[in-house]
Amino acid sequence: MGDLFGTNGVRGVANVELTVEMVTRLAGSAGALLGKDIALGTDGRTTSPMFKEAAVSGLLSVGCTVHDVGMLPTPALQFSVRRLGLDGGLMVTASHNPPEFNGVKVMANDGVEISRERENEIEALFFEGGPELSPWDSVGCVRRRETLERYNRAIIEHVDSGLVEGGGLKVALDPGNGVAALAAPEIARRLGCEVFTVNANVDGRFPGRDSEPRPDNLGDLAALVEATGADVGVAFDGDGDRALFVDEGGKVHWGDRSFALVARDFMDKNPGAEVATPVSSSRVIEDVVEAGGGRIVWTKVGSVDVSRNMVDGGIGLGGEENGGIMYGPHLEVRDGSMSLALVLEIMARTGEPLSRLFAGLPVYEQMKDKVSCPNELKGKALEALRGAVEAPRVETMDGVKLWYGDGSWILIRPSGTEPVFRLYAESETQERVREILDENRVLVESLIEGLN
Ligand code: MG
């Protein structure tokens, strides 16, 4: 079996790893399996128009009706699939990857990325001869659909817009020249905010900054916050499904903190609710959910697993530490603009500066490490590790996660892309987190050595 899909759709360097021929065949294979009516959207990359035409051709060749929703954020494409009642959707995007990359994300009829099993079916069709082509008189057709306005409206309807309007908030936005520029500023304005922007023209060369927002590349946004006296700054990734927040002092807060902020508010409104998050998530999420009488539903690492758990379990909130928040009442997918609206509502209701809201959350020390392990030994090493670890709580759905009596934890996982095991640990003090990392690194090293 080939290896078309990665952790988040199909990605590669345009015209090198990912070609027009591949996208045509992929789109045809996906269309043949998903059904007749397929939404198609793109991000703003320079190669997206080229791959879009390839996807159109592939879909038409198997008899699909293409619902062309144009250039828009990935979550808006996902919303369109659900809203228009379609059989699935394709998004031409490489999310936060560098500008030379492109890719395709495939959505099921509920708007969520397809399951791993569905990906395998599409791969099988792709590699084993391709889909069956339609006769000349039953190829598909293209319909243009305008859905961005309805998407913007839906987000506004999911928050108390009167409350946010009354808050008189000043908002600085940095879409990073990505497609969040097409939705987030408009949504914030219609929520009564005074909006300032940087890198808000869609440009597939990403001249402003990397399309992956990180604390080290948000200097322009922090400067904009300072210059305008904004109450909050928000940076988005290339396809607008993730958001990172900057407080009124220009400090960037990592995604687990903003997710915790939203989760705490969600628990106030929905006491006892379940919240879905990957086993890699910070204890700060557990803290706020448990304080609200709720329960964490742990998932494998990866946004699709969180989304699928939410849909299957009727869970209202999910999130990842990288700034992907999934608000179920809207759609069980990561959505940067929805995250923005939720945080604005929290700020308006509390009337507190964002820095103080963040300061109200527990703080933990985090550290990472890695241990070399040949790919062919990863399976055996993981099995040995599962047998060797001892802790009050152990979770083995994805790697091995151990919780200790003092609330510290470590996650040990084989990397999907490199010949290493990755170790992530979190604790209240630097000394303790170092101790846990060292202890477990030695254990993993000795287990791997024993297999050699
Ligand atoms: Mg993304």
Side-chain angles (χ1 to χ4, degrees):
M1 174 70 66
D3 208 7
L4 200 55
F5 287 91
T7 47
N8 237 293
V10 178
R11 301 247 179 109
V13 175
N15 282 349
V16 179
E17 296 163 327
L18 186 75
T19 65
V20 161
E21 289 80 1
M22 283 167 70
V23 170
T24 304
R25 193 177 175 102
L26 167 68
S29 303
L33 287 167
L34 292 174
K36 189 169 186 308
D37 288 284
I38 306 296
L40 178 63
T42 75
D43 67 12
R45 287 168 188 269
T46 57
T47 57
S48 288
M50 174 180 84
F51 286 123
K52 176 185 175 179
E53 297 307 324
V56 168
S57 297
L59 290 166
L60 297 183
S61 75
V62 296
C64 289
T65 300
V66 175
H67 298 260
D68 177 2
V69 294
M71 195 197 292
L72 74 188
T74 295
L77 174 279
Q78 297 177 297
F79 172 84
S80 308
V81 171
R82 177 94 62 101
R83 184 66 188 239
L84 299 173
L86 306 180
D87 299 310
L90 298 186
M91 180 74 187
V92 176
T93 181
S95 182
H96 59 274
N97 285 135
E100 64 271 25
F101 281 76
N102 215 326
V104 179
K105 288 183 182 178
V106 183
M107 320 303 170
N109 60 1
D110 56 10
V112 178
E113 286 103 317
I114 54 171
S115 63
R116 191 63 61 192
E117 295 75 47
R118 209 56 163 153
E119 288 182 353
N120 290 339
E121 287 173 34
I122 293 174
E123 278 185 358
L125 195 54
F126 181 97
F127 288 108
E128 291 158 21
E132 191 180 329
L133 301 179
S134 293
W136 68 273
D137 56 354
S138 55
V139 297
C141 62
V142 180
R143 287 184 64 185
R144 289 200 166 279
R145 309 293 295 243
E146 289 295 332
T147 56
L148 200 50
E149 166 57 24
R150 279 206 269 179
Y151 165 79
N152 289 348
R153 218 161 54 215
I155 286 183
I156 290 166
E157 283 166 6
H158 279 294
V159 294
D160 186 339
S161 53
L163 182 71
V164 182
E165 277 167 35
L169 294 166
K170 281 189 185 181
V171 180
L173 301 176
D174 175 3
N177 304 113
V179 281
L182 304 175
E186 173 72 12
I187 289 168
R189 269 182 215 113
R190 279 162 63 176
L191 282 169
C193 300
E194 192 177 348
V195 177
F196 306 92
T197 59
V198 61
N199 306 323
N201 56 316
V202 177
D203 185 332
R205 290 178 172 80
F206 302 132
R209 62 162 166 85
D210 288 353
S211 63
E212 162 100 76
R214 294 183 310 265
D216 65 299
N217 66 12
L218 300 183
D220 289 348
L221 177 61
L224 182 64
V225 167
E226 194 182 355
T228 59
D231 300 295
V232 54
V234 193
F236 301 88
D237 81 326
D239 65 336
D241 57 1
R242 291 193 282 130
L244 280 190
F245 290 81
V246 174
D247 70 26
E248 76 286 356
K251 182 176 180 218
V252 182
H253 295 264
W254 191 233
D256 51 4
R257 315 277 303 159
S258 42
F259 176 33
L261 213 56
V262 170
R264 190 171 62 183
D265 184 64
F266 183 79
M267 297 311 297
D268 284 346
K269 293 175 183 164
N270 306 275
E274 290 182 327
V275 172
T277 198
V279 287
S280 52
S281 281
S282 168
R283 187 179 143 194
V284 68
I285 310 298
E286 283 190 271
D287 287 348
V288 298
V289 171
E290 281 166 10
R295 192 176 75 89
I296 293 275
V297 174
W298 297 108
T299 75
K300 290 183 181 178
V301 176
S303 69
V304 183
D305 281 293
V306 183
S307 291
R308 286 267 153 241
N309 268 279
M310 289 177 69
V311 172
D312 295 346
I315 297 169
L317 185 71
E320 296 179 302
E321 89 293 346
N322 60 10
I325 296 176
M326 306 157 194
Y327 186 62
H330 173 56
L331 201 60
E332 298 89 345
V333 301
R334 299 184 293 193
D335 191 325
S337 292
M338 187 71 242
S339 311
L340 160 70
L342 290 169
V343 170
L344 291 177
E345 193 199 66
I346 294 169
M347 293 176 69
R349 179 170 332 98
T350 59
E352 291 203 40
L354 193 55
S355 62
R356 197 175 312 153
L357 289 168
F358 278 119
L361 297 168
V363 178
Y364 295 107
E365 299 292 335
Q366 298 176 337
M367 249 183 250
K368 293 178 189 179
D369 209 337
K370 58 184 174 183
V371 175
S372 298
C373 177
N375 285 331
E376 61 276 14
L377 288 182
K378 279 178 179 170
K380 279 191 172 162
L382 187 57
E383 211 175 298
L385 183 65
R386 283 176 182 153
V389 293
E390 267 180 63
R393 255 171 92 198
V394 180
E395 175 57 66
T396 59
M397 68 167 63
D398 191 352
V400 176
K401 182 169 186 173
L402 311 174
W403 284 267
Y404 297 93
D406 63 355
S408 310
W409 61 267
I410 184 163
L411 175 68
I412 307 165
R413 276 180 88 227
S415 163
T417 50
E418 288 175 60
V420 297
F421 267 80
R422 295 192 189 285
L423 289 72
Y424 313 81
E426 193 180 62
S427 186
E428 280 175 12
T429 65
Q430 288 236 1
E431 298 71 47
R432 178 67 177 137
V433 73
R434 187 74 258 172
E435 183 182 76
I436 295 168
L437 266 186
D438 289 344
E439 203 172 279
N440 283 281
R441 194 189 56 245
V442 170
L443 173 67
V444 175
E445 281 168 350
S446 72
L447 287 172
I448 292 168
E449 214 169 300
L451 293 170
N452 264 321

